[in-house]
């Protein structure tokens, strides 16, 4: 696939803003930048072009994305190191390359443009496809397996916790009842079942399958548990002055990111301590107050930026 084609199907969300936030750290001599969610390499291509001395470590769990990004970034030669791993494997990936600390880390969370645009991957509720939803096609758990084998209680839990779905109990029961006679193997079957189980008044508020599909995708790829490990690991890898930038697209992701950045940007000193010891000082300085949203121009140019929540922080202290 040519670079032009890749550019056409993937416009990086908030590229200029991400580069602006990372720039002070990436101008350091010998800077290493980790793109923890490489995708097709749009953000990384922008960073490598802007900072000729930066070395990239690109992580992705999707072999197809790595192959496309590898072609796209080939012109940057030995400045590029791509690793097939889930992003909570950031420390192991860096160790494998002999890298101790890095100056910049970017997470662009959620399902990638490549995955959304490949109908056969089954991520979209708007197109009929096999119920797959794996970001890494080499892993074993699929949405079809979840729907066929999880108990009603577990289905209810993931729809409620990962989809924030108010009708979680109704949908879980309908799926368990239905699968006894007809296995759910295609997204169109699941959409039809959900639509039939949804009261008309609720259906008018938006597509009824949206939250269920989000919940299944998160479960199949263990996105939230991975993220809870990945953000601390990324912060730990930053040098003093290094920066982390995170783009989230739904509240569950953003909550995890917000909690970790805020916790590590506050003093850990016990209340009432007369003098703050060095080991209690904040590790991070927040670069954005709250979460930054895309402006109207960005949303018009790239509709996938509409739900984004951007957070960023700078490492100001390391214990070692």
């Amino acid at each position: 696939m040519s670079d032009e084609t890749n550019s056409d199907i993937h416009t990086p969300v908030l590229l200029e803003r991400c580069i602006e936030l990372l720039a002070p750290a990436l101008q350091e001599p010998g800077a290493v930048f980790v793109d923890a969610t490489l995708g097709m390499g749009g953000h990384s291509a922008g960073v490598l072009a802007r900072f000729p001395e930066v070395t990239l470590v690109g992580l992705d769990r999707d072999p197809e994305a790595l192959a496309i990004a590898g072609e796209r970034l080939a012109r940057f030669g030995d400045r590029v190191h791509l690793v097939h791993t889930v992003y909570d494997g950031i420390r192991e990936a860096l160790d494998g390359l002999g890298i101790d600390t890095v100056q910049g880390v970017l997470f662009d969370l959620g399902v990638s443009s490549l995955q959304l645009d490949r109908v056969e991957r089954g991520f979209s509720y708007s197109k009929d496809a096999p119920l797959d939803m794996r970001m890494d096609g080499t892993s074993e758990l699929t949405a079809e397996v979840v729907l066929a084998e999880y108990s009603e209680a577990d289905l209810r839990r993931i729809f409620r916790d990962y989809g924030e779905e108010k009708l979680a109990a109704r949908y879980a029961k309908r799926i368990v009842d239905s699968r006894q006679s007809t296995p759910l193997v295609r997204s169109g079957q699941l959409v039809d079942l959900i639509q039939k189980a949804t009261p008309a008044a609720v259906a008018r508020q938006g597509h009824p399958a949206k939250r269920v599909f989000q919940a299944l995708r998160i479960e199949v790829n263990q996105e939230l548990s991975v993220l809870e490990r990945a953000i601390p690991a990324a912060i730990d890898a930053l040098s003093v002055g290094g920066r982390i930038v995170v783009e989230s697209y739904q509240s569950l992701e953003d909550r995890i990111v917000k909690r970790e950045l805020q916790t590590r940007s506050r003093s850990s000193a016990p209340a009432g301590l007369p003098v703050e010891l060095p080991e209690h000082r904040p590790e991070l300085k927040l670069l954005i107050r709250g979460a930054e949203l895309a402006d109207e121009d960005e949303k018009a140019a790239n509709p996938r930026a509409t739900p984004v929540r951007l957070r960023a922080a700078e490492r100001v202290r390391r214990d070692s």
Side-chain angles (χ1 to χ4, degrees), residues 185-264:
V185 297
R186 297 192 65 84
S187 58
Q189 287 178 279
L190 179 59
V191 169
D192 186 53
L193 182 152
I194 291 170
Q195 287 178 324
K196 288 177 178 176
T198 305
V202 176
R204 286 194 290 270
Q205 297 171 15
H207 200 294
K210 180 178 181 179
R211 294 180 183 274
V212 170
F213 270 63
Q214 173 182 300
L216 286 170
R217 190 199 82 218
I218 289 172
E219 174 65 18
V220 166
N221 298 289
Q222 297 294 298
E223 291 174 51
L224 299 183
S225 58
V226 166
L227 186 61
E228 286 178 334
R229 295 187 295 270
I231 298 297
I235 295 169
D236 289 344
L238 287 174
S239 62
V240 172
R243 293 186 167 202
I244 180 172
V245 175
V246 186
E247 296 179 288
S248 305
Y249 296 85
Q250 40 99 343
S251 59
L252 298 171
E253 294 171 337
D254 184 56
R255 206 171 297 152
I256 292 169
V257 176
K258 175 184 177 182
R259 182 175 66 236
E260 189 66 22
L261 295 188
Q262 288 190 340
T263 297
R264 294 174 74 157

Side-chain angles (χ1 to χ4, degrees), residues 239-242 264 282-285 314-318:
S239 62
V240 172
R264 294 174 74 157
E283 294 176 71
L284 299 179
K285 176 181 71 176
E314 179 179 328
R315 187 83 185 260
V316 294
R317 179 178 70 82
R318 282 183 68 94

Side-chain angles (χ1 to χ4, degrees), residues 112-123:
S112 75
S113 299
L114 171 65
Q115 291 153 353
L116 282 172
D117 293 341
R118 295 289 195 269
V119 173
E120 68 276 10
R121 304 289 287 272
F123 286 100

Side-chain angles (χ1 to χ4, degrees), residues 288-306:
I288 295 171
R289 177 176 291 185
E292 191 169 294
L293 308 178
D295 62 24
E296 294 307 314
D297 289 343
E298 176 84 13
K299 292 176 187 177
N302 187 3
R304 287 180 180 165
T306 300

